[in-house]
Amino acid sequence: MSFCFNFDVHAQTTNPDDVAGNELQKGKNDCTAKSIKDNTKQAEPVKEAKEHLPPSDPQLILTDAVSETVTIGTLPPLHFLNETVFEKTVSEREDGEEILSRTTEQRSDLISGVYEGGLKVWECTYDLLELIEKDGETFGGKAVLDLGCGAGLLGILALKRGARQVHFQDYNSTVIEQLTVPNVILNCQEDDADSEDDKEGSGKGKIPEEEDCKRKAKEDLKEGNPPPKKKAVDPPQHPLLARCHFFSGDWSAFLNLVLKKDLPPKYDIIFTSETIYNTAYYPALHEALHKLLAADGLVYIATKSHYFGVGGGLHLFETYVEERGVFSVDHLWDSEEGLQRHIVVLRFK
Ligand SMILES: C[S@@+](CC[C@H](N)C(=O)[O-])C[C@H]1O[C@@H](n2cnc3c(N)ncnc32)[C@H](O)[C@@H]1O
């Protein structure tokens, strides 16, 4: 089954009832679109939150991995597992939540309250990556949350560009374990390869101790000393992986979980891409943003104007935010053609 964005439709409506439960129209590539189940009225109980530790043997989860790479301008290349792998290997995978089997059986990109779409990379993630590339944000020393991360490309970019700490959250534990964590590990390997090449000026994302080691190795080499043997990095202790935390669960449960920590996080940057499609989730989402954003922090939201089949979208979310009176909303980018897509930034008033 080929990759396609199933909200990629050309007409717009403001009445979700017009389209609830309908098959989505075919995307631009004429690939077979899956449907979106409008189960918002039969919402399942709030999904418990959980913190996931990186596996003790990260290489194992990359066995037979089929990855692809996105390269945007001057951004570091970002690697991620190809979504078709999940469909092809569903019977061999741990699927306690049964989302792999259900999404494949129902040919559905999103089953509200069950599977929230995290197994593929959604279109607006690429918009936000492009904006970051143009704006030159470097993330140095920042605490970043990729909220509703799915594949986690936004968080991974922040990590590779020097964020001090990156937290990844997805509704589904299967997504975190089988996609987000493997993707971070894939990109850690890439980072090692960069270090070996040691390109001048490619220091983004490296912590100072790493830079010191590399400088020392270079000096030794100049003085005719043999290069030190490359020290095997214990993968869970990989410097990039060590800066990450992974969480699954509903936003309200996630918020409760992190607020219980000895040092509850405050994030300088929160990314959230294609997460405002369901108005029923707005209170939990707004509360999480409100409680977790640092005083001078920024929330980047990448979204479509309207999500057919589920009914939410930017206008409804902006109205919700304005009514709460906590954040101001500024448009950073609005697409000029096709289905309307946007990037907005929220900051405390
Ligand atoms: C359509 S996917 C987008 C994934 C990714 N951000 C991207 O752009 O590729 C929506 C994501 O929002 C998150 N999400 C949606 N509703 C949620 C909820 N009520 N609680 C927690 N996470 C939720 C899920 O984790 C899901 O991966």
Side-chain angles (χ1 to χ4, degrees):
M1 192 178 308
S2 59
F3 175 79
C4 75
F5 297 110
N6 294 312
F7 293 124
D8 192 5
V9 286
H10 305 286
Q12 293 204 27
T13 174
T14 49
N15 181 359
D17 294 338
D18 289 345
V19 288
N22 283 356
E23 282 264 319
L24 288 163
Q25 297 175 34
K26 287 184 177 179
K28 278 183 196 146
N29 303 336
D30 199 29
C31 52
T32 314
K34 293 175 184 172
S35 66
I36 292 175
K37 297 283 167 191
D38 179 19
N39 290 341
T40 48
K41 289 173 196 120
Q42 325 139 22
E44 303 211 347
V46 165
K47 196 168 189 73
E48 207 178 302
K50 185 175 157 195
E51 179 159 2
H52 300 253
L53 297 177
S56 52
D57 184 359
Q59 297 310 323
L60 203 62
I61 51 175
L62 295 182
T63 313
D64 300 331
V66 180
S67 65
E68 52 187 296
T69 301
V70 57
T71 312
I72 297 179
T74 56
L75 297 184
L78 303 172
H79 310 288
F80 58 102
L81 295 185
N82 183 299
E83 62 154 322
T84 56
V85 172
F86 296 106
E87 291 164 10
K88 291 192 179 128
T89 56
V90 61
S91 58
E92 300 150 32
R93 289 177 176 266
E94 294 257 325
D95 187 15
E97 290 179 303
E98 296 184 358
I99 62 166
L100 299 171
S101 50
R102 286 177 73 171
T103 185
T104 307
E105 264 164 41
Q106 299 183 21
R107 298 179 57 72
S108 175
D109 273 335
L110 196 151
I111 309 169
S112 281
V114 177
Y115 165 57
E116 294 290 348
L119 288 172
K120 68 175 211 177
V121 181
W122 293 71
E123 198 173 13
C124 295
T125 279
Y126 295 109
D127 293 337
L128 189 43
L129 288 172
E130 279 176 17
L131 185 88
I132 295 167
E133 203 266 330
K134 281 193 203 103
D135 283 5
E137 167 69 66
T138 57
F139 306 103
K142 293 192 175 162
V144 176
L145 170 65
D146 189 341
L147 191 67
C149 60
L153 296 190
L154 296 163
I156 290 170
L157 173 66
L159 187 65
K160 292 181 111 173
R161 279 199 145 180
R164 164 171 58 87
Q165 175 186 66
V166 182
H167 290 181
F168 295 86
Q169 176 279 337
D170 197 274
Y171 186 83
N172 293 105
S173 54
T174 310
V175 171
I176 290 289
E177 286 169 3
Q178 305 218 18
L179 182 62
T180 322
V181 172
N183 284 350
V184 171
I185 293 166
L186 266 176
N187 285 276
C188 288
Q189 291 181 328
E190 158 78 15
D191 196 68
D192 288 342
D194 280 355
S195 301
E196 278 171 35
D197 295 347
D198 196 17
K199 298 170 202 131
E200 284 298 339
S202 67
K204 288 171 194 160
K206 310 289 190 307
I207 53 178
E209 302 93 87
E210 288 174 271
E211 293 302 303
D212 282 352
C213 290
K214 281 160 56 184
R215 206 172 304 118
K216 171 92 176 49
K218 262 186 176 176
E219 281 163 11
D220 282 352
L221 211 58
K222 271 186 204 149
E223 286 162 16
N225 299 332
K229 277 200 175 145
K230 192 167 164 19
K231 214 170 64 185
V233 183
D234 181 15
Q237 300 306 319
H238 189 287
L240 290 187
L241 196 54
R243 285 186 246 161
C244 300
H245 285 262
F246 302 92
F247 302 91
S248 64
D250 175 87
W251 285 316
S252 52
F254 162 68
L255 178 63
N256 289 337
L257 179 73
V258 293
L259 288 183
K260 276 194 224 130
K261 286 186 174 278
D262 291 340
L263 261 183
K266 284 280 184 190
Y267 302 102
D268 303 302
I269 293 182
I270 301 180
F271 291 125
T272 193
S273 164
E274 307 242 19
T275 53
I276 58 170
Y277 49 81
N278 189 338
T279 56
Y281 300 154
Y282 288 1
L285 176 59
H286 190 278
E287 179 75 351
L289 300 176
H290 187 177
K291 293 282 160 57
L292 296 177
L293 187 68
D296 55 354
L298 300 171
V299 180
Y300 290 92
I301 301 179
T303 180
K304 300 193 174 97
S305 299
H306 186 77
Y307 287 90
F308 295 88
V310 267
L314 183 58
H315 178 65
L316 290 174
F317 189 69
E318 268 188 292
T319 306
Y320 185 87
V321 170
E322 274 158 23
E323 283 170 4
R324 305 277 98 54
V326 173
F327 296 111
S328 63
V329 185
D330 290 302
H331 282 233
L332 297 181
W333 176 81
D334 301 293
S335 67
E336 280 157 17
E337 53 191 44
L339 178 69
Q340 296 297 296
R341 307 192 309 277
H342 311 268
I343 299 172
V344 297
V345 64
L346 266 50
R347 43 172 76 85
F348 284 114
K349 280 187 170 168

